Amino acid sequence: MLRSTLLLLLTMLLGVQAAAAPNKVYVWRNADGNLVFSDSPKPGAEEIAEEIEVKNKQTIISSVDTSVLDVTPRTVQEEYQVEITQPEDHATIRDNSGSVYISGRVAPVFKRGFKVRLLFDGEPHSEPQTRSVFILRDVDRGEHKIKLELINNKGKVIASSKERTIYLHRARVN
């Protein structure tokens, strides 16, 4: 135990002395003509090794003050936007069969499990779906309100479009 402590102390002392001593580098060419750098001259040929003195400049890198860093984990809130691209607001649709085509856009592209629901005159129209295109058949003539909602995989509405008003004209059959 005492012996290992003495050995450790001796190693530390030698390390301090080596750090305090000026750095010397020796350079010479080997048999192949390549430059060789060493901390001691070439054994047996000290006269051909050239001594280069290196100035001992210590570079001290101060520690970084990490107190200014905010390392608290954050959840990324994705802001989804839903809009109806067709038909335009206050559009008049002339279709005797009562067909209405509704197209929407969700940005950014929604994740797996998300669905789009169409509200037609304030009521959900069919089941939510993974596309934002809806085709309605046999719609009565008159004024109608449409709106799209984006629903996450837990059934919560996370974004909705502005409500649009459309007018459907159908020829009357008497």
Side-chain angles (χ1 to χ4, degrees), residues 16-159:
V16 169
Q17 283 182 342
N23 293 334
K24 291 185 180 181
V25 175
Y26 297 91
V27 63
W28 68 90
R29 292 204 180 268
N30 65 8
D32 296 329
N34 297 322
L35 285 177
V36 177
F37 295 89
S38 177
D39 61 347
S40 60
K42 181 178 178 183
E46 287 84 2
E47 63 279 351
I48 63 169
E50 184 180 335
E51 180 181 322
I52 301 171
E53 190 170 325
V54 179
K55 294 181 182 175
N56 190 8
K57 289 187 177 180
Q58 292 184 352
T59 304
I60 299 173
I61 300 173
S62 62
S63 62
V64 176
D65 181 13
T66 59
S67 66
V68 297
L69 300 176
D70 184 10
V71 293
T72 55
R74 295 184 186 180
T75 57
V76 177
Q77 291 286 4
E78 292 181 292
E79 293 292 325
Y80 286 97
Q81 296 177 341
V82 180
E83 69 173 317
I84 298 172
T85 55
Q86 285 185 344
E88 295 291 324
D89 195 20
H90 297 290
T92 299
I93 300 167
R94 289 177 169 74
D95 190 307
N96 287 335
S97 67
S99 297
V100 177
Y101 300 92
I102 300 169
S103 177
R105 178 179 21 231
V106 177
V109 175
F110 54 96
K111 298 177 185 174
R112 174 172 279 192
F114 286 14
K115 295 191 176 187
V116 179
R117 174 172 53 202
L118 170 66
L119 296 178
F120 187 76
D121 291 332
E123 297 294 322
H125 181 269
S126 69
E127 291 295 316
Q129 60 186 32
T130 56
R131 305 177 287 129
S132 59
V133 175
F134 296 86
I135 301 172
L136 309 179
R137 303 277 185 214
D138 201 27
V139 175
D140 290 333
R141 68 171 62 183
E143 178 184 286
H144 299 284
K145 306 277 186 189
I146 57 174
K147 185 176 185 175
L148 295 178
E149 294 178 331
L150 180 63
I151 302 170
N152 67 10
N153 50 5
K154 296 177 183 172
K156 180 182 175 189
V157 176
I158 57 173

Side-chain angles (χ1 to χ4, degrees), residues 9-21:
L9 186 60
L10 181 63
T11 305
M12 288 183 1
L13 250 162
L14 287 175
V16 169
Q17 283 182 342

